[in-house]
Amino acid sequence: MAGHAITMLGTGLIGDFYTGALHAQRSRDRVHVVYSRSDDRGSAFSERWDIPEHTTDLVAAVTHPETDVIVVGIPNHLHVEAVEAAVAAGKAVLVTKPLGRNADEAQRILEAVERSGSFGGYLEDLCYTPKALKAMAAVDGGAVGEVTWVRSRETHPGPHSAWFWDGRLTGGGAIVDLGCHCIEVIRGFVGKGNRPVEVMCHTDTLVHPIADEDNAIALIRFDSGAIGQFEVSWTFRGGMDLRDEVAGTHGTIWLNHFLRTGFEMFSAPGSGGGYVAEKAESSSGWLFPVGDEVSELGYVDMFSDMFRAMEGGEQPRETLYDGYVVNAVMDACYRSATSGRWEAVELDWRGGATPRIASTPETFEGQTVIKREILPDGRHRLIVKDPESGDFSDRIVAN
């Protein structure tokens, strides 16, 4: 099967990760043209990745006659322009997170792609990490029962590029940069058809002299009653901390994706060093390298899913509609941070209704079992409630 010829828009860190994933995992798919706003960066990028052509002309990059897929990895304020040009040229389009600076821009992108009939995908890599994929499959299989609570945390010392710090270009601060990841990870565990109903969010600017938030925490209430919690920060020191926790009626999952994953190394000062991992702040002392960074951050499985869906005429795991929902949740976060109240998530919902979390309690001798635990001698302690009186009591039973 012939591979895809790709136009890569953007030569920043994300462009390097994307190109590394594309060239390594599916070598028949190649970046043929790269666009950069800087001729020097474009030239260096094309040489680094053996890309035939580079340009500073966005339209020329998108309409290049030899490419069929456009990967949008440029600053947020350029996404709408790039996507509209891509679908006008009849190209498939894959857009990095966040889809837009706000839900209005995200919906504009979604509707432009849907009107055109082009293939579209949302490049949300942290939903494709090996641990996340396996954990979500376990949750889908009922391993933890009904999900009641999900916590997602992403923190690091701050973005690499200057434009990330300018809320006029991005749409916000740490929430737009990192919260978008967390929100979609949470949705992956509670269910994509589980509507996000309302949000309570607190933001603050604690360290950096910028107009937007460098720290935020939020609660998201879903239709089922499940709660999503995210924590994001541009002020965490010591690298990048990516963790997820899932609690269900019958189980729990803890995930540590990046900072402490079992690979630890000590390097004395002056002994050499070099690149360790994304957002690592030092190349000496105790270090936490990542074995295959492109794979561990989800890029490999993400692009494999995108091209599989594209070739099969299917929807990818992460769609442009998912990106729109994420933007709508982030908009609600900012409204809540301003008002100090729970704020409704305003969006064009396509997912239907999700029933509230429910369980059928165990009974014992006419009593409702609240909790069962095993004692050191093997017997079971039951906490039970009398359904008539409402009184609680203990029962010790053989098993």
Side-chain angles (χ1 to χ4, degrees), residues 313-328:
E314 304 170 1
Q315 288 289 310
R317 184 182 183 94
E318 293 298 319
T319 68
L320 295 180
Y321 179 74
D322 291 321
Y324 160 67
V325 173
V326 169
N327 266 117

Side-chain angles (χ1 to χ4, degrees), residues 42-362:
S43 176
F45 191 95
S46 62
E47 182 176 350
R48 185 161 65 249
W49 293 107
D50 192 25
I51 297 170
E53 299 183 45
H54 68 276
T55 180
T56 57
D57 186 330
L58 179 64
V59 174
V62 168
T63 60
H64 194 287
E66 294 183 20
T67 65
D68 64 315
V69 178
I70 310 300
V71 173
V72 179
I74 48 182
N76 303 353
H77 70 291
L78 299 174
H79 287 190
V80 172
E81 175 188 358
V83 170
E84 290 181 343
V87 297
K91 307 290 183 75
V93 60
L94 308 177
V95 188
T96 193
K97 65 81 190 175
L99 192 54
R101 287 178 291 182
N102 50 56
D104 287 342
E105 285 191 354
Q107 189 167 34
R108 183 174 168 184
I109 288 170
L110 171 65
E111 291 175 350
V113 175
E114 290 182 337
R115 280 195 307 268
S116 73
S118 296
F119 179 89
Y122 180 49
L123 299 180
E124 177 41 83
D125 57 287
L126 293 188
C127 291
Y128 289 96
T129 69
K131 293 185 183 74
L133 288 174
K134 191 162 188 177
M136 288 177 187
V139 169
D140 290 345
V144 301
E146 293 195 71
V147 174
T148 58
W149 174 81
V150 181
R151 173 190 180 217
S152 186
R153 171 179 171 85
E154 181 172 4
T155 63
H156 58 56
H160 299 283
S161 299
W163 68 267
F164 270 103
W165 299 87
D166 187 343
R168 297 167 299 179
L169 305 182
T170 62
I175 290 177
V176 166
D177 181 29
L178 309 178
C180 57
H181 286 305
C182 298
I183 292 164
E184 191 61 1
V185 167
I186 290 167
R187 291 186 68 231
F189 285 115
V190 302
K192 295 284 191 71
N194 199 349
R195 179 172 184 159
V197 178
E198 59 181 353
V199 170
M200 171 63 81
C201 180
H202 171 74
T203 65
D204 209 338
T205 308
L206 299 174
V207 174
H208 302 291
I210 58 175
D212 296 285
E213 77 284 354
D214 59 15
N215 283 270
I217 184 169
L219 299 176
I220 308 165
R221 186 176 68 82
F222 288 86
D223 209 11
S224 69
I227 291 291
Q229 173 184 334
F230 73 73
E231 306 159 19
V232 294
S233 175
W234 281 347
T235 68
F236 176 81
R237 305 308 300 266
M240 183 160 66
D241 187 14
L242 297 176
R243 282 181 281 160
D244 302 315
E245 300 175 24
V246 184
T249 55
H250 291 83
T252 304
I253 296 173
W254 293 342
L255 302 174
N256 191 330
H257 299 279
F258 208 76
L259 188 60
R260 302 299 292 269
T261 59
F263 186 170
E264 301 181 17
M265 175 176 72
F266 180 84
S267 180
S271 60
Y275 181 82
V276 177
E278 184 185 353
K279 304 296 191 305
E281 293 195 273
S282 174
S283 59
S284 63
W286 277 108
L287 307 172
F288 310 102
V290 179
D292 184 346
E293 203 165 0
V294 170
S295 178
E296 288 300 315
L297 287 173
Y299 299 112
V300 171
D301 284 312
M302 178 180 72
F303 279 112
S304 294
D305 177 55
M306 291 294 161
F307 286 108
R308 174 201 57 77
M310 192 184 305
E311 292 162 0
E314 304 170 1
Q315 288 289 310
R317 184 182 183 94
E318 293 298 319
T319 68
L320 295 180
Y321 179 74
D322 291 321
Y324 160 67
V325 173
V326 169
N327 266 117
V329 174
M330 292 193 294
D331 284 359
C333 287
Y334 285 118
R335 290 196 299 272
S336 174
T338 300
S339 71
R341 301 189 301 267
W342 285 91
E343 292 286 345
V345 178
E346 300 171 359
L347 79 164
D348 175 16
W349 180 245
R350 300 178 180 179
T354 301
R356 184 168 174 80
I357 296 167
S359 61
T360 303
E362 178 187 357

